[in-house]
Amino acid sequence: MPDRVLPSLNAVRSFVAVARHLSFTRAADELSVTQGAVSRMMQTLQADLGVELIRRVGRGIELTPTGAAFYGEASAALDRIAAAARAARAQEGGVLRVSALPTLTQRWLIPRLKGFQAENPEIQVEVSVGEHRVDFAKERIDVAIRYGVEEWPGAEIATLMPEAMGVFCAPSLLEQGPPLHHPADLAQHRLLQHTTRPDSWRVYLAAFGLPLPEAALSLAFEHFFMIIEAASAGMGVALLPVFLVGDDVASGRLVQPFTETLRPRGRYLIAHAPGAERARRVRRFKEWLLTEVG
């Protein structure tokens, strides 16, 4: 039988925090305890192991070689314990934490969530927005919806849907501005730019053999929902994912002056930790997402 004489988990957590920050003060802040409590935990752990893990250097501290080796192993072990605990808590029902792109969340996901909850009332959904590549071993996120990430270490990914980009503007722009009947007419209009996809207009125009009129790119926004509002206000012409603006077109806030669209190489993705589908809440949500786009 393996030797299971383990040190205090709280002491190990304290050491990992100290080693990460090389500071008792910052470790105490992270753990929401006093600096004295962290110091006592460190003394307990070193006495328990019978080795020195940290040492004073001038006014600071550093890891000993043994401490550095122990930090790597202990930090990874705590990550595994945290991941196992999350999986155990949520095998049936529980809280499902979803992180999705801001405009997709606002315009596509939230309006549909009522259907998921009606089918799965035992699952509590918590939605946040984000665009970064989630580290599922460290972040409290079960499912992420992102765009265009082809490789994602530490995650399983599946295609949610491809993307079609179309040109949209306010009806007043067609009535009062220069002609806008073909992609070539875009050179006479202000083009609203997406700051996180700065090449979108260039790629779109290049698909029709057209150059990018640099002078037209005078307004830029971080998120698609901002661009949608700017276009609706008549501030310029927008290049937008078609699926995000169906309601705006139906209500007359936006019009699509011509039907030429671009299908970028990127795609919308569903991502989760490897094996996370064993949890019913993750499996049911993923199945529901794929049904919604089906």
Side-chain angles (χ1 to χ4, degrees), residues 41-124:
M41 284 291 178
M42 285 301 309
Q43 293 171 8
T44 298
L45 180 62
Q46 292 183 116
D48 191 10
L49 297 178
V51 295
E52 184 183 40
L53 300 174
I54 60 172
R55 60 187 168 213
R56 296 280 180 182
V57 179
R59 302 179 67 179
I61 60 173
E62 68 176 11
L63 297 176
T64 66
T66 301
F70 185 68
Y71 168 62
E73 295 291 339
S75 181
L78 288 178
D79 286 342
R80 290 194 296 272
I81 292 170
R86 288 196 298 270
R89 289 190 188 108
Q91 284 299 314
E92 299 295 332
V95 178
L96 176 73
R97 295 177 176 86
V98 179
S99 171
L101 298 166
T103 305
L104 182 143
T105 299
Q106 180 190 70
R107 298 210 152 221
W108 188 86
L109 180 59
I110 291 177
R112 289 167 168 78
L113 270 180
K114 184 177 179 181
F116 177 78
Q117 291 201 301
E119 297 174 9
N120 304 274
E122 76 285 1
I123 300 176
Q124 177 185 337

Side-chain angles (χ1 to χ4, degrees), residues 165-206:
M165 300 289 285
V167 172
F168 298 88
C169 65
S172 61
L173 203 65
L174 293 184
E175 298 166 1
Q176 303 167 13
L180 188 56
H181 305 299
H182 309 283
D185 296 333
L186 290 166
Q188 305 303 316
H189 289 266
R190 175 184 289 160
L191 307 182
L192 303 176
Q193 190 174 13
H194 193 307
T195 57
T196 60
R197 296 201 202 176
D199 291 332
S200 293
W201 276 117
R202 181 187 59 77
V203 173
Y204 178 84
L205 290 166

Side-chain angles (χ1 to χ4, degrees), residues 243-261:
F243 81 97
L244 289 178
V245 293
D247 290 344
D248 299 276
V249 173
S251 68
R253 292 182 75 224
L254 292 176
V255 293
Q256 188 172 10
F258 43 82
T259 58
E260 285 86 347
T261 59

